[in-house]
Amino acid sequence: MHFTKALKKISITILYNRKGEQKMKKKMILSIVFIALACFLVACGQSEDDSKTQSAENKKPLKMWVGLNQAGVYRELAKEFEEKNGVAVKVIEVEEADDALLKDADAAADVIRLPHDQLGQLVESGSVYENEKYADQVTKENIPMAIQASSYKDKLYGYPASTDAMFLYYDKRVYNEQDLRTLDSLTKKGKVGLNLAEAGADYRLTPWFIANGALLYGEDGEDVTDTTLNNEQGLNVLKWVGNARKNPNIVALNADEISALQDGKISALFSGVWNAQNVEKILGKNMGTVVYPKANFGDGEINLKAFSGVPIFVVNAATKNPSKAMDLAEFVTNKEAQLKVFKEINTVPSNKEARESETVQSDPLAKTVTEATTPEHSVLMPKLPEMKNFWPNMNALLVDSYEGVVKVDQMQQKLDKLVRDVSKPAK
C-alpha cells in the first residue's frame, strides 16, 4: 500500500512540476528517497512478522503417540529433544494409533509410532507427511528392509524405529544343532508348537508360501495384480498343511503355547520377542533361539521365512509444525535413540550401526532377531490396504485345510478362489 502511494507521487511530480529542471530534480530525488524508505520499512516489518510467526510455531508443544508400555523411554527421549531444541513434547500411549489418525487427523498427534503395514492406507488417505527433510540420512543409516517398510510407491514417509520377526524357541536339552537344521528333523526329534488351527495361522504360514516361490502382491508387496499363491509351489505348501494333522509331533496351538511348553506338551515353538520372558521363566538356561529351519515341500530345499515387521514413526499431515515434527521423528529413531529403546524395551534396532554394536550382538535373543530380519530369513509384510481383506480369507483356507474340511483334490480350486478374492486383475 505504501509502495503504491509512492509510485503515484512520482507520477504527479513528473507531470505537474515543469517550472524548472532544478525543482523537478529535487522533487524526484525526494520521492525516490521516500520510496526507498517505505520499501525498507515494509520489508523490515514483514521480516519481523515472519520471524515472530516462525518463532511461535517452533515453541508450540508437539504431541507424540507411542504404543502401550512404551511411554517411559520415549518420554526420556522427548526430554532430551526439548533440551536441545527448545520445543516441548507430550508423549501419550495409544493402542490403535492408525485408526485414530484416520478418524480425526486434526486431533491426532504430530508424530506417531505405528506398524509399517498400516502405511499404505495412511498414504492413500493423505494422512501422513512425506519424509522430505531426512530422507537421505534415514536411507543411509537403516537396513534396506526398514527403508522398504517406511516407503510407499517409491516415496519415503516413515522413520524406522526397530525391526522384528518370528523365530524358533527350543529346549536345549532336547535339540542339538543338527536337529534344528530342517523342519523335518525338528519335528522328528521333538514336539513343535505351531498355530495351524486358529486365528493367526495366516500370519505364521503365509511367508512359507512366499519362501517356496509364491507371491503375495508382487516381489515388493505393492502390486495388487500379482499374487501367485495358487501356483504349484503354493499348492505344495497347502498340501503340507493338510498333512500336518497326521504328524503327532506337530502340535496346533496359539494362545496356549506357553502353557503347552510349561506342561511339557511341546519342546519348541515358533513365536516372537513378546514371549521371551515367559519362555525364559520355563526353560531358564536351557532356552535356545534360532532362525527358522530349512524345509522341502517338494520343490527343493528352501529357508523357511517369517513375516518381518518394522515399527515406524510418521508425521501427521495435519501437523501445524511439520519441520519440527520431522526433527522429532528423526531424533527418536536415530542410532542413539534406537539403542536406548533397545535397552529399555528390547526392540531390536533397524539402524545399521546399532544392530552391529556390542550392546545388541552380545544379547543372544537380539542377535537371533537381527539374523531373522534379513531377506534370507524373513519377508516384509505387505502394506497395501488390501491386506485387511487378505487376512480372513487366507486364515480360513489354512485352518480348513489343516482340519480336513478342504480335501487335497479341492486345494487348487480353493487357492484359485483365494487369489481372485484378494487381488485385482491386471489391466
Side-chain angles (χ1 to χ4, degrees):
M1 186 175 183
H2 294 299
F3 186 69
T4 304
K5 287 182 177 180
L7 284 176
K8 186 175 180 181
K9 186 167 184 177
I10 273 193
S11 300
I12 293 172
T13 302
I14 293 173
L15 289 171
Y16 295 104
N17 287 289
R18 299 186 181 277
K19 292 183 179 180
E21 185 178 354
Q22 189 74 21
K23 187 175 181 181
M24 184 178 73
K25 283 182 179 180
K26 285 183 180 180
K27 288 200 173 187
M28 286 184 69
I29 290 171
L30 287 173
S31 297
I32 291 170
V33 170
F34 173 79
I35 292 170
L37 180 60
C39 289
F40 176 76
L41 290 173
V42 169
C44 287
Q46 288 176 335
S47 176
E48 185 177 354
D49 289 343
D50 288 344
S51 177
K52 286 180 180 179
T53 301
Q54 186 66 32
S55 178
E57 287 294 332
N58 286 343
K59 294 295 182 181
K60 285 182 179 179
L62 294 172
K63 284 196 299 183
M64 182 167 70
W65 283 353
V66 298
L68 301 181
N69 304 313
Q70 297 174 350
V73 64
Y74 282 110
R75 283 188 181 123
E76 292 177 16
L77 288 169
K79 186 176 180 181
E80 292 178 23
F81 179 81
E82 181 177 354
E83 291 172 352
K84 291 182 179 181
N85 296 273
V87 179
V89 180
K90 184 177 182 180
V91 179
I92 306 166
E93 289 186 354
V94 178
E95 188 169 3
E96 299 290 344
D98 54 311
D99 287 341
L101 176 58
L102 286 168
K103 287 177 183 176
D104 190 352
D106 290 329
D110 302 274
V111 177
I112 302 167
R113 189 183 192 274
L114 42 76
H116 86 272
D117 60 300
Q118 305 301 313
L119 185 60
Q121 184 178 12
L122 293 172
V123 173
E124 295 283 359
S125 66
S127 301
V128 294
Y129 216 100
E130 186 178 344
N131 185 345
E132 298 174 343
K133 198 170 183 179
Y134 294 100
D136 291 342
Q137 179 180 328
V138 169
T139 301
K140 179 181 177 182
E141 294 177 354
N142 292 273
I143 63 172
M145 182 179 286
I147 299 305
Q148 183 185 350
S150 305
S151 304
Y152 188 67
K153 294 184 178 178
D154 299 323
K155 289 185 178 181
L156 185 68
Y157 291 90
Y159 303 72
S162 62
T163 56
D164 192 20
M166 291 179 66
F167 49 89
L168 183 74
Y169 287 102
Y170 67 94
D171 189 333
K172 292 179 180 179
R173 294 167 296 185
V174 178
Y175 301 97
N176 59 38
E177 187 175 340
Q178 188 62 25
D179 298 327
L180 302 168
R181 200 186 77 80
T182 70
L183 182 62
D184 186 54
S185 60
L186 181 71
T187 56
K188 283 181 178 177
K189 187 64 175 291
K191 293 185 179 294
V192 181
L194 176 63
N195 184 0
L196 291 160
E198 299 181 40
D202 48 2
Y203 178 76
R204 285 159 175 79
L205 290 171
T206 299
W208 293 16
F209 286 73
I210 299 170
N212 202 45
L215 294 176
L216 175 60
Y217 301 140
E219 294 287 350
D220 61 359
E222 292 191 16
D223 186 352
V224 76
T225 69
D226 191 11
T227 295
T228 61
L229 296 173
N230 59 337
N231 64 11
E232 184 178 355
Q233 294 94 325
L235 176 61
N236 285 338
V237 177
L238 192 60
K239 287 179 179 178
W240 181 91
V241 173
N243 285 323
R245 189 177 180 84
K246 303 172 186 176
N247 188 336
N249 276 1
I250 297 178
V251 182
L253 42 71
N254 186 13
D256 56 340
E257 59 189 2
I258 295 302
S259 61
L261 182 66
Q262 189 167 20
D263 295 341
K265 294 178 180 178
I266 58 173
S267 48
L269 67 150
F270 294 94
S271 191
V273 292
W274 59 86
N275 262 333
Q277 290 184 340
N278 294 325
V279 175
E280 190 170 16
K281 283 180 182 178
I282 297 168
L283 297 180
K285 64 181 182 180
N286 295 309
M287 183 184 84
T289 61
V290 68
V291 295
Y292 279 15
K294 296 179 181 294
N296 190 334
F297 298 112
D299 307 291
E301 192 172 77
I302 50 98
N303 285 330
L304 282 180
K305 295 185 178 183
F307 268 136
S308 56
V310 180
I312 63 174
F313 278 87
V314 295
V315 173
N316 182 354
T319 181
K320 298 299 189 293
N321 195 346
S323 180
K324 282 300 176 184
M326 284 188 273
D327 290 345
L328 176 61
E330 187 280 328
F331 184 83
V332 297
T333 57
N334 63 27
K335 174 188 172 183
E336 292 73 20
Q338 289 195 25
L339 283 172
K340 184 179 181 67
V341 175
F342 166 70
K343 291 176 184 177
E344 294 290 331
I345 59 176
N346 299 316
T347 56
V348 176
S350 61
N351 180 279
K352 295 174 186 176
E353 292 185 8
R355 285 166 71 88
E356 297 303 318
S357 68
E358 177 64 22
T359 302
V360 173
Q361 291 298 311
S362 62
D363 184 310
L365 182 61
K367 189 174 181 179
T368 297
V369 176
T370 59
E371 186 179 359
T373 50
T374 60
E376 292 77 24
H377 299 290
S378 63
V379 57
L380 188 68
M381 191 190 307
K383 46 192 175 292
L384 286 174
E386 285 78 7
M387 284 297 288
K388 288 192 174 182
N389 179 46
F390 168 77
W391 292 125
N393 282 280
M394 184 62 169
N395 202 80
L397 176 57
L398 290 169
V399 172
D400 286 349
S401 297
Y402 174 74
E403 296 287 357
V405 176
V406 174
K407 309 299 181 184
V408 175
D409 60 358
Q410 299 174 312
M411 289 182 177
Q412 184 66 63
Q413 178 186 353
K414 293 292 185 179
L415 281 170
D416 292 341
K417 183 178 186 303
L418 172 75
V419 171
R420 290 195 301 270
D421 290 344
V422 304
S423 58
K424 296 179 181 178
K427 293 181 180 179

